[in-house]
Amino acid sequence: MKFGYFDDANREYVITTPKTPLPWINYLGCNDFFSLVSNTCGGYSFYKDAKLLRLTRYRYNNVPADNNGKYYYIKDGDTVWNIGWQPSKTVLDSYECRHGMGYSRFTSAKNGVKAENLAFVPMNDTCEINRVILTNESDTKKELSLFSYVEWCLWNADDDSRNFQRNFSTGEVEVIDSTIYHKTEYRERRNHYAVFSVNSPIDGFDTQRESFLGAYRDNSNPEAVENGKCTDSVAHGWSPVAVHQINVTLEPGESKSFIFVLGYCENPVDDKWESKNVIKKTPSDKLLAKYKTDDDVDKAFKELKDYWTGLLSIFTLESNNDKVNRMVNIWNQYQCMVTFNMSRSASYYESGIGRGMGFRDSNQDLLGFVHLIPERARERIIDIASTQFRNGSAYHQYQPLTKRGNSDIGSGFNDDPLWLIAGVSAYVRETGDISILKENVPYDNDMSVATTLMEHLKRSFDFTVNNKGPHGLPLIGRADWNDCLNLNCFSEHPGESFQCFGPSEGPVAESVFIAGMFVKYGEEYAQLAELLGDDAEAKRARKEVKIMYDAVLKDGWDGDWFVRAYDAYSNKIGSKECEEGKIFIESNGFCSLAGIGVKEGLAKKALDSVKEHLDCEYGVMILQPAYTVYHLELGEITSYPPGYKENAGIFCHNNPWVSIAETVIGRGDRAFEIYKKTCPAYTEEISEIHKTEPYVYCQMVAGADAYIPGEGKNSWLTGTAAWTFCNISQYILGVYPTHKGLRVDPCVPHGFGDFKITRKFRGATYTINVKNPSDVEKGVKAMTVDGKKVSGNVIPYEEGKKEYAVEIVMG
Ligand code: GLC
Ligand code: GLC
């Protein structure tokens, strides 16, 4: 069952009922100012950091769900309704929500009044615009009142939700004409404030929440709206809000538009007052002056649309498969931008006050983003690498505002260092910019011990070399990619963090998954060394990679698949010897995609085992059989009920690893079958089961052991976005950036047909026509570039050349 449809021409998903199975959200903002917005106008806004600089309040875990947003109430006689249905939930005569690239547009109607709200964050300003247009579609005159409503968050969202003894006394606002200024804590250590303004005179306002709502009432039915009259309250402490009241008369057929701006403004620390305790308005005056007329809004909106048209022209696909076209050309890349911006910080499942930017997460997010805006990827790489420790290990997370490593969680996740190589290699392959490798980068933000980025990578690489266990496999530390496989933790008390409790390292627990990573990224490291002319280092690296490869074949192979790990007693995990958790996806996917056991025929065997044991209708499960009891020696993974999350859920993130591994051994049918199972454009059909947004990936889909298999959770912020984009663009469609130029090596399912890719790469545009006359899964028989036959399948890169016309014949 569907709750909407794709409008590909407009790059929108159109939701046709407010009652989606879960809130279906969108992200506004591309740079520093962000808003989450749901299909019922729920959500919140923040500047740079969802924890430290949150503008508006949201209540996770609330009843009813998805409460608080930017709401517009329309009072028409005795009827009160909202453009996005919530919070009044008055039944609407029509409703539509269009989530597009960086904007959402709501259109609804009630009793002959049509209302539209276009919400977006303009390209280079720190604000969100809501343009509300009211139209009288009836044949009688309408006397309406329009009320806006946002609830201010007292900046630090963590403190805001628990420090009530202080916070109930600190709230302060100013109201001047149609602008409400939120200035809590401005008198002391802040030099920033927020504004909520409208481009029209107002007939009333409220800034004290309970004055507007009425005592013991909620925002579904504010007393002031019911009365048709705001109270002009000025908040002192308690919970400041911003409400404008505008009385509107509309003749039949008449429309009026109102431009609301919610903005973040900063003053210089030593020049922040206009007069005693009155904030200096220069930055907000400047901001608000930019968005006064419909033309201003149209212009800013066009800029945003053009921006996305530009970004989405970097990689485009024309194939016979509409679903794949739509994911590749629009939604998958869009989600890659969002995960790049947010890492795992703010979504409807990530509270914005927990994790900031993850070291491993952000490096992986780069993989699907780097082609879009390489300069931003470059900056991000330097930020991430700056939180690395001198011994090559890394803070697991850092805060986006301060860019400092988060010492609460610390380090000890032994896969982290290698992901830095993955991110940097992707950047250099995309851009050819080797200057980044020579960039001076601090350790733990300490510039006095800075070295080149290449030296950081060396320390990443050597961290694995220097931290091996009894089988010559990498020590796992607190966990590897699977945060929940905590082999050195042994936690017995609720509330202890599985990751941070217990010693961060043990002498023997080892990860076969990290071994697979080391083989893959060790080779990529060697190639970077070669680029810098350091053949000796490349040789050394390859020698170490070979040693690891052999160690995996010797002690990481279980007969039919790769072992997952060795625990603190040196017992196998993910082996026939185990009662539960006999086979895991990660080691099988990653070792195979790294090429381990390909020539020996073991990768094929491993992938056949994955199909046999881990496949289910909705995707490839992370492990089987599910753990049914808690194992002290395995940690959080066994804390989840069977079928959920890391305990036998379908963890979408590593499905593409298996799909990529299938392309490595040339099985296009199977690679695509896996791609399809978790692909939103395909699961759209079963939205009533899947529940999360049908235009983006979610982190987890419940596995076969779950109560409701196929039910998705934790949408948007997942490494699935980046990995799937790599999978489809670089392995299935097969356009992979190498240091020497683009390689074209598709691996497609039978019947996929011919296709065309346009790819912008290092300043040139490549038009790549792929023909598949014999309908094969893999293999390039012939390639011509600008009509000339070229041997192999790497398009030779020529400095300065602007256009490449490439013909590929598979066979
Ligand atoms: C979450 C984390 C990611 C981890 C994965 C598996 O998605 O963000 O870092 O790899 O879970 O545990
Ligand atoms: C993984 C899990 C997530 C958990 C985190 C820390 O990322 O997917 O649910 O919160 O590990 O335990």
Side-chain angles (χ1 to χ4, degrees):
M1 188 181 157
K2 302 204 261 180
F3 298 85
Y5 59 93
F6 286 97
D7 177 348
D8 293 340
N10 286 309
R11 301 196 190 108
E12 291 171 339
Y13 191 81
V14 187
I15 303 168
T16 49
T17 166
K19 292 188 199 169
T20 46
L22 289 166
W24 284 1
I25 76 162
N26 194 13
Y27 283 84
L28 315 181
C30 307
N31 295 313
D32 289 331
F33 188 99
F34 298 101
S35 299
L36 282 62
V37 56
S38 75
N39 59 311
T40 62
C41 292
Y44 60 94
S45 300
F46 58 92
Y47 176 70
K48 283 193 180 173
D49 190 313
K51 175 178 173 181
L52 299 175
L53 289 176
R54 194 177 298 200
L55 271 79
T56 60
R57 245 181 213 166
Y58 188 78
R59 292 184 189 84
Y60 285 89
N61 221 346
N62 202 7
V63 186
D66 190 17
N67 206 305
N68 244 357
K70 286 166 207 114
Y71 294 132
Y72 297 94
Y73 299 85
I74 295 160
K75 181 171 164 64
D76 178 7
D78 288 338
T79 309
V80 173
W81 57 287
N82 292 97
I83 303 181
W85 184 62
Q86 285 237 71
S88 68
K89 295 202 214 67
T90 301
V91 178
L92 299 169
D93 297 340
S94 71
Y95 160 93
E96 182 184 87
C97 163
R98 289 178 173 261
H99 285 320
M101 308 286 103
Y103 67 91
S104 292
R105 195 195 290 270
F106 302 83
T107 313
S108 53
K110 181 79 188 169
N111 298 345
V113 176
K114 182 173 125 187
E116 181 190 293
N117 176 14
L118 171 67
F120 69 101
V121 170
M123 284 308 304
N124 296 308
D125 279 313
T126 56
C127 68
E128 178 184 327
I129 293 174
N130 286 182
R131 176 168 61 189
V132 174
I133 301 177
L134 302 180
T135 306
N136 181 359
E137 292 188 323
S138 78
D139 46 18
T140 52
K141 185 167 153 176
K142 288 276 184 186
E143 303 275 358
L144 311 170
S145 293
L146 173 68
F147 296 85
S148 66
Y149 178 77
V150 301
E151 183 176 352
W152 299 114
C153 179
L154 307 183
W155 303 113
N156 180 332
D158 191 10
D159 187 77
D160 185 69
S161 59
R162 50 185 175 165
N163 191 5
F164 306 110
Q165 60 82 26
R166 170 180 162 83
N167 294 344
F168 283 167
S169 296
T170 55
E172 287 189 285
V173 297
E174 287 176 28
V175 184
I176 296 169
D177 300 328
S178 302
T179 305
I180 295 164
Y181 301 81
H182 176 225
K183 58 170 188 177
T184 301
E185 291 192 340
Y186 190 83
R187 67 169 65 240
E188 22 125 349
R189 291 159 297 175
R190 296 188 185 274
N191 59 321
H192 51 85
Y193 59 95
V195 287
F196 191 41
S197 184
V198 60
N199 70 336
S200 110
I202 56 175
D203 296 286
F205 64 87
D206 267 306
T207 64
Q208 186 76 274
R209 189 180 66 195
E210 267 58 36
S211 306
F212 176 66
L213 298 181
Y216 293 99
R217 290 167 69 123
D218 59 43
N219 59 15
S220 68
N221 182 23
E223 199 165 51
V225 178
E226 195 174 277
N227 296 339
K229 188 76 204 102
C230 276
T231 71
D232 295 355
S233 58
V234 177
H236 291 89
W238 300 114
S239 293
V241 297
V243 174
H244 305 94
Q245 173 178 357
I246 306 169
N247 299 334
V248 190
T249 306
L250 290 177
E251 299 299 334
E254 191 183 2
S255 276
K256 279 188 181 153
S257 105
F258 303 93
I259 299 162
F260 291 88
V261 178
L262 173 78
Y264 169 91
C265 299
E266 260 174 30
N267 270 320
V269 180
D270 54 3
D271 187 20
K272 60 180 198 172
W273 301 110
E274 199 168 282
S275 55
K276 192 168 182 204
N277 286 337
V278 176
I279 32 179
K280 190 161 185 166
K281 311 291 189 306
T282 327
S284 47
D285 287 349
K286 209 171 135 206
L287 175 72
L288 296 175
K290 287 180 75 173
Y291 304 105
K292 284 286 179 219
T293 65
D294 281 325
D295 280 351
D296 297 338
V297 173
D298 291 338
K299 198 167 137 253
F301 187 55
K302 182 168 181 304
E303 224 183 302
L304 175 72
K305 289 206 99 168
D306 290 348
Y307 174 73
W308 274 103
T309 301
L311 284 182
L312 295 178
S313 71
I314 296 169
F315 191 111
T316 63
L317 166 70
E318 290 166 50
S319 79
N320 302 328
N321 187 317
D322 285 348
K323 293 191 166 71
V324 177
N325 292 345
R326 151 186 312 153
M327 291 313 301
V328 168
N329 294 331
I330 307 171
W331 293 99
N332 198 172
Q333 297 198 64
Y334 183 58
Q335 190 177 1
C336 285
M337 166 71 97
V338 172
T339 55
F340 176 83
N341 284 331
M342 299 289 134
S343 195
R344 307 296 168 265
S345 65
S347 75
Y348 267 31
Y349 307 84
E350 301 281 6
S351 64
I353 60 178
R355 322 191 231 186
M357 313 295 283
F359 192 94
R360 83 154 80 86
D361 295 328
S362 292
N363 275 305
Q364 290 174 85
D365 293 341
L366 281 170
L367 307 178
F369 172 82
V370 64
H371 67 292
L372 290 174
I373 315 178
E375 310 75 57
R376 285 190 69 201
R378 192 185 205 276
E379 238 175 77
R380 177 64 56 77
I381 286 170
I382 305 294
D383 287 350
I384 299 172
S386 305
T387 66
Q388 189 174 22
F389 289 109
R390 279 199 276 176
N391 71 353
S393 70
Y395 279 109
H396 196 46
Q397 290 155 6
Y398 70 96
Q399 213 48 48
L401 187 69
T402 62
K403 297 186 178 173
R404 299 259 153 183
N406 174 351
S407 43
D408 294 346
I409 178 122
S411 69
F413 297 76
N414 286 356
D415 62 319
D416 274 338
L418 293 172
W419 290 117
L420 182 62
I421 299 178
V424 174
S425 160
Y427 170 79
V428 177
R429 282 184 290 104
E430 178 68 33
T431 58
D433 167 24
I434 57 170
S435 77
I436 193 176
L437 300 171
K438 300 172 191 157
E439 201 76 44
N440 218 22
V441 182
Y443 292 90
D444 193 3
N445 291 101
D446 179 357
M447 211 52 207
S448 71
V449 292
T451 68
T452 63
L453 181 63
M454 191 62 191
E455 173 65 22
H456 278 257
L457 301 190
K458 177 167 184 291
R459 295 185 192 188
S460 285
F461 180 83
D462 283 334
F463 184 82
T464 304
V465 176
N466 297 332
N467 287 279
K468 292 188 194 170
H471 302 92
L473 297 165
L475 289 172
I476 198 167
R478 294 194 187 280
D480 61 19
W481 171 88
N482 190 329
D483 272 338
C484 301
L485 196 57
N486 316 118
L487 306 182
N488 296 308
C489 166
F490 298 92
S491 168
E492 288 186 272
H493 303 105
E496 286 163 357
S497 156
F498 288 101
Q499 282 76 34
C500 302
F501 181 76
S504 65
E505 9 185 302
V508 299
E510 297 165 293
S511 163
V512 178
F513 168 77
I514 299 179
M517 280 187 80
F518 184 79
V519 169
K520 176 159 170 62
Y521 298 122
E523 169 56 29
E524 296 192 16
Y525 170 67
Q527 289 178 15
L528 292 172
E530 274 170 353
L531 278 184
L532 293 184
D534 193 347
D535 293 344
E537 180 62 1
K539 198 166 157 212
R540 177 184 82 94
R542 292 201 171 103
K543 201 172 123 214
E544 292 293 349
V545 165
K546 174 76 174 65
I547 294 170
M548 188 66 81
Y549 187 107
D550 293 342
V552 173
L553 290 194
K554 181 164 175 290
D555 290 310
W557 181 252
D558 198 52
D560 288 308
W561 57 76
F562 292 100
V563 174
R564 175 61 177 86
Y566 283 88
D567 71 15
Y569 308 106
S570 252
N571 293 325
K572 285 182 187 167
I573 299 167
S575 153
K576 286 183 186 136
E577 293 166 20
C578 308
E579 242 174 73
E580 300 177 330
K582 286 177 191 289
I583 172 169
F584 279 65
I585 199 172
E586 303 101 306
S587 48
N588 288 294
F590 224 88
C591 289
S592 302
L593 80 78
I596 305 179
V598 170
K599 57 178 186 291
E600 295 85 354
L602 302 181
K604 178 172 175 297
K605 217 171 188 188
L607 295 171
D608 287 342
S609 300
V610 165
K611 183 170 163 76
E612 184 183 339
H613 300 285
L614 297 181
D615 228 16
C616 79
E617 194 181 338
Y618 304 105
V620 186
M621 292 176 282
I622 201 167
L623 65 90
Q624 277 292 301
Y627 292 104
T628 55
V629 290
Y630 177 57
H631 290 257
L632 256 189
E633 78 286 8
L634 302 182
E636 186 170 359
I637 190 167
T638 56
S639 75
Y640 286 111
Y644 294 98
K645 299 279 285 177
E646 281 87 340
N647 185 14
I650 297 154
F651 219 88
C652 301
H653 188 139
N654 42 37
N655 275 238
W657 297 346
V658 180
S659 184
I660 293 170
E662 289 286 353
T663 69
V664 170
I665 63 164
R667 298 198 292 200
D669 280 337
R670 175 66 180 149
F672 194 70
E673 182 189 358
I674 296 166
Y675 172 80
K676 253 164 61 171
K677 283 190 186 202
T678 56
C679 178
Y682 281 91
T683 54
E684 185 200 16
E685 301 289 342
I686 52 161
S687 288
E688 80 285 8
I689 301 173
H690 198 263
K691 295 197 170 79
T692 60
E693 296 91 332
Y695 37 92
V696 290
Y697 286 91
C698 55
Q699 180 206 55
M700 198 273 309
V701 173
D705 304 277
Y707 186 61
I708 306 179
E711 186 180 55
K713 279 189 196 134
N714 199 356
S715 55
W716 281 99
L717 303 186
T718 161
T720 316
W723 273 105
T724 306
F725 191 69
C726 289
N727 179 29
I728 188 74
S729 62
Q730 300 178 359
Y731 296 92
I732 295 181
L733 301 169
V735 182
Y736 180 92
T738 72
H739 293 299
K740 299 207 168 70
L742 289 178
R743 183 185 73 204
V744 187
D745 193 11
C747 182
V748 290
H750 287 109
F752 192 73
D754 299 346
F755 59 92
K756 176 176 157 189
I757 284 170
T758 312
R759 173 72 153 95
K760 293 189 182 148
F761 177 72
R762 302 193 193 175
T765 303
Y766 293 70
T767 312
I768 305 169
N769 275 298
V770 179
K771 303 243 166 352
N772 193 355
S774 334
D775 194 23
V776 297
E777 288 173 292
K778 193 170 179 171
V780 169
K781 200 163 70 180
M783 175 169 86
T784 62
V785 179
D786 299 322
K788 285 192 229 52
K789 206 170 158 23
V790 174
S791 71
N793 58 2
V794 178
I795 308 164
Y797 172 72
E798 291 169 47
E799 190 76 50
K801 189 170 147 98
K802 288 279 173 245
E803 307 269 343
Y804 295 72
V806 184
E807 296 275 340
I808 299 279
V809 181
M810 293 179 69

